[in-house]
């Protein structure tokens, strides 16, 4: 049985909501203001899930999706919306999250790049992508949102010849540790018996096209016990004149164009003696902070990532801790400050769960004058900023970092001053 519903607004994740018999109805692939015929797919006590049967009154912002796998693939969920309006909707969702926590937000600046061809990092499963809300493998020969390098791989290697299991792929023009004349792509193949990497999607070769021997990658020595580094999975990219090393099986931002636009916002206007990079990862921000501060302190619980951060920070005055933020604030923060002096600024980029409670409480009491807070989850970001505002910080500026066009995923940057 179908129902007629009007989509009222878009919420976090990219679904719209409407009302039906006193309940909220979640409607995927809708646009605010549209009149829709829907089928209820799940009727819970206080909400319903639905799917669109017919768009009775379409929005003027509705467009034809450009990917034939749209709604089947588990990736994009906003291709049916004109791109500039997508950004407006994501901006409003970000605003709603902060206002829900009682935070007054002025204008939100949107940092955006290309709407297609931006994504340089993928995980393929048995040669394809996972289906939407299923374990089905989607066969594909190209992805409109992928970089040219990723699509070259998908075009040149038939589906049936791609590795089984899960593989990590990173392909971008920014890669600098692949010789000239080779495709700028690195592939880490996982199997039940071993883990190996194929550079350039072709069979790994010992020489360049000109016959020169490939330079052996510099051996990475794990500074911390428990790390599982494989130099074959090393990727090096050049961003804004800096070279960064990381493991393609770990995390690195997949939209490098927007990352290059975001780095100056995160690090710009800051300088001094000491800076803290909390949840530093492989040191993406630290390498730029090192030009502005006498000493950079990095804290990162992922020991493999902090080993790469050590390599990226060679030649700079820095200190790193392969610890959780909670442990560092409890056992090390006081001593670091006693030996080196107070921090002039902190960059914080926590996981989706947000700042650890201990880290947030420490920041509230720290008195650090400048905080730049980056987040991949708007709800936990707004929650954490609320506590910092209560401690006397003011929100100077909020940015939408539009890393994932065509999706409901939102990342944000908050500039806070004491």
């Amino acid at each position: 049985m179908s129902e007629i519903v009007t989509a009222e607004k878009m919420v976090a994740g990219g679904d719209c909501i409407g009302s039906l018999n006193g309940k909220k109805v979640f409607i995927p692939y809708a646009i605010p203001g549209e009149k829709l015929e829907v089928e209820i797919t799940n009727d819970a006590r206080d909400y319903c899930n639905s799917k669109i049967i017919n768009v009775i009154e379409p929005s003027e912002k509705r467009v034809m999706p450009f990917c034939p796998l749209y709604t089947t693939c588990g990736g994009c969920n906003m291709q049916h919306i004109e791109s500039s309006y997508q950004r407006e909707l994501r901006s409003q969702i970000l605003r709603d999250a902060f206002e829900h926590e009682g935070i007054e937000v002025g204008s939100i600046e949107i940092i955006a790049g290309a709407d297609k061809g931006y994504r340089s990092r993928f995980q393929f499963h048995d040669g394809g992508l996972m289906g939407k809300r299923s374990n089905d493998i989607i066969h594909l020969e190209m992805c409109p949102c992928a970089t040219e390098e990723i699509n070259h791989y998908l075009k040149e290697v038939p589906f049936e010849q791609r590795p089984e299991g899960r593989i990590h792929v990173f392909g971008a023009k920014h890669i600098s540790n692949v010789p000239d004349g080779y495709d700028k792509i690195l592939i880490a193949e996982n199997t039940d018996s071993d883990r190996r990497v194929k550079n350039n999607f072709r069979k790994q070769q010992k020489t360049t096209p000109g016959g020169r021997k490939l330079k052996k990658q510099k051996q990475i020595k794990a500074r911390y016990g428990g790390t599982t580094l494989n130099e074959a999975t090393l990727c090096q990219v050049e961003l804004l004149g800096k070279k960064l090393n990381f493991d393609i099986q770990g995390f690195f931002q997949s939209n490098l164009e927007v990352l290059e636009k975001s780095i100056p916002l995160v690090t710009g206007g800051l300088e001094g003696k000491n800076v803290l990079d909390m949840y530093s990862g492989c040191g993406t921000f630290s390498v730029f902070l090192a030009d502005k501060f006498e000493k950079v302190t990095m804290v990162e619980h992922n020991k493999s990532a902090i080993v790469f951060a050590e390599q990226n920070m060679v030649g700079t005055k820095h200190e790193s801790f392969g610890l959780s933020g909670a442990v560092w604030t409890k056992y090390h923060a006081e001593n670091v400050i006693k030996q080196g002096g107070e921090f002039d600024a902190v960059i914080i980029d926590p996981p989706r769960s947000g700042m650890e409670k201990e880290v947030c409480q420490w920041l509230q009491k720290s008195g650090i004058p400048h905080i730049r807070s980056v987040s991949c989850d708007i709800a936990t970001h707004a929650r954490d900023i609320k506590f910092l505002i209560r401690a006397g910080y003011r929100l100077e500026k909020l940015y939408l970092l539009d890393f994932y066009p065509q999706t409901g995923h939102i990342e944000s940057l908050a500039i806070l001053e004491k």
Side-chain angles (χ1 to χ4, degrees):
M1 180 178 176
S2 64
E3 304 282 356
I4 305 301
V5 179
T6 298
E8 297 168 7
K9 65 181 296 185
M10 184 170 284
V11 295
D15 289 353
C16 283
I17 57 171
S19 298
L20 183 65
N21 301 324
K23 293 183 180 181
K24 287 184 178 179
V25 183
F26 289 88
I27 320 165
Y29 307 113
I31 304 176
E34 289 186 326
K35 187 176 181 180
L36 307 156
E37 181 184 3
V38 303
E39 177 184 323
I40 303 302
T41 57
N42 177 51
D43 193 353
R45 187 174 66 177
D46 53 0
Y47 72 93
C48 300
N49 292 322
S50 69
K51 66 177 181 180
I52 297 173
I53 303 299
N54 182 33
V55 181
I56 300 171
E57 294 179 7
S59 167
E60 62 180 13
K61 303 296 185 180
R62 181 172 283 275
V63 297
M64 182 67 69
F66 50 79
C67 179
L69 297 176
Y70 187 57
T71 73
T72 302
C73 168
C76 301
N77 65 339
M78 294 182 74
Q79 279 189 27
H80 60 286
I81 307 173
E82 191 274 324
S83 291
S84 62
Y85 189 52
Q86 285 186 33
R87 292 190 285 272
E88 290 182 30
L89 291 171
R90 288 191 284 270
S91 179
Q92 184 59 53
I93 293 169
L94 175 60
R95 180 184 299 278
D96 290 344
F98 273 67
E99 291 182 349
H100 178 74
E101 295 289 356
I103 303 171
E104 185 176 339
V105 178
S107 62
I108 297 176
E109 186 172 340
I110 301 173
I111 308 303
D115 296 322
K116 304 176 187 176
Y118 67 85
R119 189 174 182 120
S120 57
R121 182 171 61 89
F122 277 79
Q123 288 186 41
F124 293 119
H125 301 263
D126 292 335
L129 294 174
M130 300 294 286
K132 187 174 181 65
R133 296 191 180 95
S134 78
N135 292 323
D136 296 337
I137 303 301
I138 306 300
H139 297 211
L140 73 163
E141 295 181 358
M142 68 90 64
C143 171
C145 291
T147 61
E148 181 180 346
E149 291 76 14
I150 299 287
N151 276 321
H152 190 195
Y153 165 76
L154 294 174
K155 179 182 178 181
E156 294 295 319
V157 180
F159 179 81
E160 59 274 6
Q161 294 181 21
R162 297 173 198 165
E164 295 181 355
R166 183 177 65 170
I167 64 170
H168 298 257
V169 181
F170 197 95
K173 63 182 179 181
H174 301 74
I175 294 177
S176 55
N177 65 321
V178 172
D180 291 341
Y182 280 61
D183 296 291
K184 301 289 187 178
I185 186 169
L186 296 166
I187 302 169
E189 178 183 341
N190 297 331
T191 69
D192 293 336
S193 59
D194 67 351
R195 177 180 294 163
R196 58 187 182 274
V197 170
K198 296 178 180 178
N199 290 331
N200 317 311
F201 78 72
R202 304 185 184 94
K203 184 176 181 180
Q204 193 166 346
Q205 301 181 40
K206 300 296 184 183
T207 60
T208 67
R212 294 179 289 108
K213 287 187 177 181
L214 293 176
K215 291 182 179 180
K216 186 176 180 181
Q217 292 294 340
K218 182 179 179 181
Q219 181 70 37
I220 301 170
K221 295 181 180 180
R223 178 179 170 212
Y224 298 98
T227 59
T228 55
L229 294 182
N230 180 348
E231 67 177 280
T233 67
L234 168 68
C235 182
Q236 183 182 82
V237 294
E238 184 168 340
L239 301 175
L240 301 175
K242 301 280 189 181
K243 291 185 177 180
L244 284 158
N245 297 289
F246 60 94
D247 190 325
I248 65 172
Q249 296 179 112
F251 174 78
F252 197 81
Q253 183 55 248
S254 60
N255 188 329
L256 301 187
E257 179 188 3
V258 175
L259 179 58
E260 286 191 310
K261 292 180 179 181
S262 301
I263 288 170
L265 298 175
V266 176
T267 63
L270 299 176
E271 61 181 358
K273 185 177 180 181
N274 296 309
V275 63
L276 172 64
D277 189 355
M278 179 65 74
Y279 309 109
S280 65
C282 68
T284 303
F285 297 130
S286 287
V287 296
F288 295 92
L289 293 169
D291 293 336
K292 302 168 178 291
F293 291 86
E294 294 179 21
K295 180 184 175 183
V296 179
T297 299
M298 299 179 291
V299 179
E300 171 57 55
H301 81 283
N302 185 319
K303 294 181 175 61
S304 295
I306 204 71
V307 168
F308 279 103
E310 278 288 325
Q311 186 183 54
N312 293 329
M313 292 291 283
V314 168
T316 69
K317 187 176 180 182
H318 68 278
E319 186 173 18
S320 65
F321 294 84
L323 302 166
S324 70
V327 171
W328 184 84
T329 56
K330 183 176 182 179
Y331 295 106
H332 298 276
E334 183 178 351
N335 190 51
V336 169
I337 293 171
K338 185 181 296 184
Q339 291 183 355
E342 299 286 343
F343 290 108
D344 300 301
V346 59
I347 308 299
I348 187 160
D349 185 4
R352 190 177 300 276
S353 55
M355 300 180 198
E356 295 156 280
K357 179 179 67 175
E358 297 85 352
V359 171
C360 192
Q361 291 174 343
W362 179 80
L363 280 177
Q364 287 177 283
K365 300 173 183 177
S366 69
I368 298 173
H370 310 287
I371 297 177
R372 304 287 170 88
S373 177
V374 181
S375 178
C376 61
D377 186 281
I378 58 175
T380 58
H381 200 195
R383 177 202 67 195
D384 295 338
I385 299 304
K386 172 185 67 178
F387 289 123
L388 294 176
I389 290 174
R390 288 179 180 176
Y393 286 91
R394 64 181 182 275
L395 178 62
E396 292 287 338
K397 186 70 176 176
L398 183 62
Y399 294 88
L400 165 64
L401 306 179
D402 204 30
F403 281 110
Y404 296 97
Q406 316 304 334
T407 81
H409 183 74
I410 300 172
E411 303 205 12
S412 50
L413 163 66
I415 309 292
L416 296 122
E417 305 290 340
K418 190 69 173 179

